[in-house]
Amino acid sequence: MIPAAVAELQPRLVERYARLQELLRGLGRVVIGFSGGVDSTFLLAVAVGCLGRDALAVTGVSPSLAADEREEAARLAQRLGANHRCIPTGEMQVPGYVANAPDRCYFCKTDLFERLAAIARAEGYTAVLDGSNLDDLGDLRPGREAARQQGVRSPLTEVELTKADIRELSRALGLRTAEKPAMACLASRIPHGIPVTIERLTQVEQAEAALRSLGFPAVRVRHHEAIARIELPPADR
């Protein structure tokens, strides 16, 4: 059943929302990689509506995930009534990840998707899903190759939903993430070639938390060894 607020949107979005529901119902029991961002929250909300407790949201916990983002993911999952758990990941033990070359995300996503696939096999889930959207196909994203290799499906891409579509549908569903800024992992603040360490990740996390506490929600702090580069929207400067 299409929610009333969604049914009032343009026909293209209604049709793609219906396709997403059909796809999810056809899968039956799914594990969803859940970060608490715009895309994965929308996917989880629709999955819970279609599958109930047969949709399991899993958040990978590592030093590259800020504590407040982990806590927010748990709150969002609870608000949606989702079956949710947090699991430790091990990318910090993978040399290819720590080396921080341009393909760093491949090693991170491979570690995460292998763990999600293990849960699916052990507990009888039929598919592992991620929140990639149609816009992601045009970006350089090594994590997409990891998803392909691990057999992870991307329902939002399959039904041709863009980031803008997902934000509009999220607003119709009343999801608080509809206007949430993009939140890449903390390791993305460290320039390629500088090794990813827990110390550097912690410095970035603490710096960004301090700036958010001052009223700057959309902020990133880039780690350049002895220099921090602060990025803010133009209006906040």
Side-chain angles (χ1 to χ4, degrees):
M1 182 175 180
I2 303 291
V6 171
E8 295 176 357
L9 299 177
Q10 54 184 299
R12 177 182 63 85
L13 288 181
V14 176
E15 184 268 338
R16 291 179 183 178
Y17 188 93
R19 283 169 55 195
L20 179 60
Q21 289 181 311
E22 181 180 8
L23 186 158
L24 291 169
R25 291 192 185 104
L27 292 173
R29 301 189 76 227
V30 299
V31 176
I32 298 174
F34 179 63
S35 67
V38 178
D39 302 327
S40 64
T41 299
F42 170 72
L43 177 60
L44 180 60
V46 181
V48 169
C50 293
L51 305 175
R53 302 291 287 181
D54 282 334
L56 170 64
V58 179
T59 301
V61 177
S62 78
S64 68
L65 177 67
D68 58 354
E69 284 296 299
R70 180 177 71 249
E71 294 163 3
E72 176 67 3
R75 287 192 293 268
L76 287 167
Q78 183 179 35
R79 188 173 289 110
L80 292 172
N83 184 10
H84 177 238
R85 73 182 68 161
C86 292
I87 63 169
T89 57
E91 68 269 24
M92 292 299 295
Q93 284 72 55
V94 179
Y97 176 83
V98 174
N100 198 19
D103 62 350
R104 179 196 66 239
C105 291
Y106 170 81
F107 300 99
C108 175
K109 292 297 186 182
T110 296
D111 180 89
L112 174 63
F113 293 148
E114 286 177 346
R115 294 168 191 269
L116 299 186
I119 291 173
R121 288 192 300 270
E123 301 181 26
Y125 290 90
T126 56
V128 175
L129 313 180
D130 75 358
S132 297
N133 66 67
L134 194 63
D135 294 332
D136 295 331
L137 298 182
D139 296 337
L140 176 61
R141 290 181 178 259
R144 297 297 305 144
E145 177 61 16
R148 186 192 67 79
Q149 291 178 355
Q150 298 298 322
V152 175
R153 296 187 62 172
S154 303
L156 305 182
T157 300
E158 292 182 38
V159 301
E160 302 176 283
L161 287 171
T162 66
K163 176 72 81 172
D165 294 337
I166 293 162
R167 288 191 186 277
E168 186 170 355
L169 287 163
S170 295
R171 283 190 286 271
L173 294 177
L175 299 177
R176 60 185 295 173
T177 50
E179 313 302 333
K180 185 176 181 177
M183 298 294 290
C185 77
L186 295 174
S188 68
R189 312 322 193 246
I190 303 173
H192 294 313
I194 298 177
V196 177
T197 66
I198 292 177
E199 180 184 14
R200 291 183 176 117
L201 294 172
T202 301
Q203 288 174 328
V204 171
E205 179 178 7
Q206 292 177 345
E208 292 187 354
L211 287 163
R212 281 194 294 272
S213 74
L214 296 175
F216 301 104
V219 62
R220 291 189 182 182
V221 177
R222 305 288 181 184
H223 194 302
H224 296 272
E225 300 291 10
I227 296 173
R229 190 176 83 236
I230 299 172
E231 296 179 356
L232 295 165
D236 286 347
R237 294 178 189 173

